[in-house]
Amino acid sequence: MTDHKIKRFSTYRIAEHWVHMAIFIVLVVTGLSQKFHSLDVSMWLIFHLGGIDYVRLIHRYAGMVFLVITALHIIAGIVCVAAKKWPPSMVINKKDFSDAIHNIRYYLGVETQPAACDRYSYKQKFEYWGVLIGSVIMIFSGLILWFPVFVTRLLPGEIIPASKVLHTNQGFLMFLIIALWHIYNSIFSPEIFPIDKSIFTGSISRDRMLREHPVELARMEGRPIAMIDAMHDK
Amino acid sequence: MLSQNTHTGIMVALLLLIFAASPAEPQNSALSDEAQKCLSCHSQHGLVKTFENKDTLVAYVDSEKFKASAHGSLKCSDCHVDFAGEKHPQRRFRSKEQYKTKSAMTCRKCHRYEQIKTKSIHSMLLSEEESGMSHPCTNCHGSHSIMPVSRKTFKNEEQYCLKCHGHKLNMGFKSGENLSLKIDLSLLQNSVHKRLSCSDCHFGFSHSQHPQRNFKSRRDLSIANSETCRRCHFDKYTKTMESIHYAMLSQGYLNAPVCTDCHGSHSILHFGKERTIIAQRCRKCHTGIFEVYSKSVHGKALFDEHNQDVPVCIDCHTAHDIKNPLTLDYREKIPDMCSNCHANEAVVRKYGLSTNVVKTYLSDFHGVTLSFYRKQREEFNKPARQIAVCTDCHGTHNIISTRSTDPATVKANLVRRCQQCHKDAAKNFPDAWLSHYEPTLANAPLVFIATMIYKIFIPIMVIGITLQILLHIWRYAVNR
């Protein structure tokens, strides 16, 4: 019973993650090598990708794909949540803040138990919203930098260097969030090492559900949360 | 016995040779009777011949010099044919010049045309004579003190050469052009080559050699002569071989400059610190560009204020290995050229100019792209496109100060520059470039604020995430 798999992600989500991952890698490689252009490794990379012009071209077309999948994600999310087809499980609520404080207290040894999270933990929600808002910033600033002549017909010229600051810093920030936080939580965290495969297989073990998403598990199994807590203690 | 006779015979023969040779030695010659008679008057000072145009000629003859001359044994009437015996006609001449020309005709009686023509220096003069110019022999050889040039003693080679080249001398070319071969000694003595001898440069010419050379034109002569410079200045010569001027010359464009066109020949000088001279040399051919340059901020400072900090032609184009400035290669080096001064505090600080201009260019889109293109071409031989460099906005020879013009005009001009690449650029477009300024709250608030936010936010984010991770690992370890 304990290690039976529970369905967690639909095929759509699995595919979406794959595409996002691939595009993100392309954008990071072609983007950061431009940001840190004086590094030898950037030079090497750019020249082996066919020169700066090609790298910029790849970055822009990858950005187009990124725009499309991000837009689809947002539209699908808004429509389906509004139509009550999907539960608003990503919406940040009061419990997320109390969970965060609770967990810090737990890490410091004040609390005996970690916070009991729902479908998405506060860590996942904060990361999700951080990356989503970041993506929107990246898309808009990227488009402005791609079409400076058009943009300055409508907006003051200063918007261009400002967008450059936004794009380069936000891109770097997103890279850091993914490289440090996301990779830690889905690969290097001792609780899930060597890798969290749920986004690739679409299912998660009941054990991990019990540990990481007890509230959702309780709802799925129709038990009160207290029982789940009791199971946790065993 | 026999041998003694032979000895005596040789002695006699040698003595005979000496005596036989002696009449040719002017020092030993005695004055003829006629000469002594003439000299009784003409060796006295005060005899003056006056011509119709009031020119005068001293009719005094130094008897010692005459005696020592090549013609010391001749009779006076051998040359002065009109004055044979008791005859002393009163002759009339328009001018001294006419007199000299007329008198010198007598030389040809002995020194035949065919004979003197064989010397190249003579052949040149004689050919001019045919076209009506007069070159009296006496101009070079003297009259009563006449001597073969080769037997004269000269202090140095210069004196030897200037014996002829100090006079009005012309060289004719097949093209019909003429070149004066008269050398001004004072020019030579003021030149940097004043310690050199003529033959150091005029290779192949000496006391004994004066080859006859034929050139199609003056230009051919100049080009051929400039080849001699490399015998000392080989480093400069090899540099010029990489220049656009040399390339043009070798393609048959003979007006492309050679050494002497810029440096001069006999009057060769150090360019030294006087930079106006440099610009003036280039002006000889590049007149239009010079005019534009002289009205630019650099040119005005050079000519009006005598400012020696400003670039002249060679600072960007170099002096000897001048490259074609229209190549991509040259274009990509333009920011380096400008930064020689504009990134140098010692040069531009005193004019209140910022040394940030190069840094801000290089860190922005155009500068970064340029750096990439340069490296791509140098190391990977990948193609590159033209990208805006300093001169695309500021101009090249016509650079003007942005401070001398009102900001609205500068901006309007800038839009036009932008439009050369960004076709549909609107009047707002140049503001996308922060005009070499580092963003501040005053000049670019949006950029400044965004930069500040990320400067604070990124470290906080990274520290926060790292702390979370460390706490998580610590709790996990404690729990185990």
Side-chain angles (χ1 to χ4, degrees), chain A residues 7 10 17 29 33-34 84 104 109 130 137 142 159 164 172 175 177-178 187 189-190 200 210 217 224 226-227:
Chain A
K7 177 91 175 142
S10 66
H17 182 265
V29 166
S33 59
Q34 288 183 70
K84 306 233 185 275
I104 290 168
I137 294 176
I159 210 88
K164 196 181 163 193
F172 186 48
F175 164 73
I177 290 173
I178 299 296
I187 294 177
S189 165
F200 303 115
L210 191 59
L217 186 68
M227 264 185 78

Side-chain angles (χ1 to χ4, degrees), chain A residues 65-85:
Chain A
V65 178
F66 188 72
L67 182 153
V68 171
I69 55 178
T70 307
L72 277 179
H73 177 89
I74 293 170
I75 292 164
I78 290 171
V79 169
C80 293
V81 170
K84 306 233 185 275
K85 264 181 85 181

Side-chain angles (χ1 to χ4, degrees), chain A residues 144-164:
Chain A
I144 291 170
L145 291 176
W146 194 353
F147 304 106
V149 174
F150 174 74
V151 171
T152 49
R153 292 190 160 275
L154 315 167
L155 296 166
E158 203 197 330
I159 210 88
I160 309 295
S163 295
K164 196 181 163 193

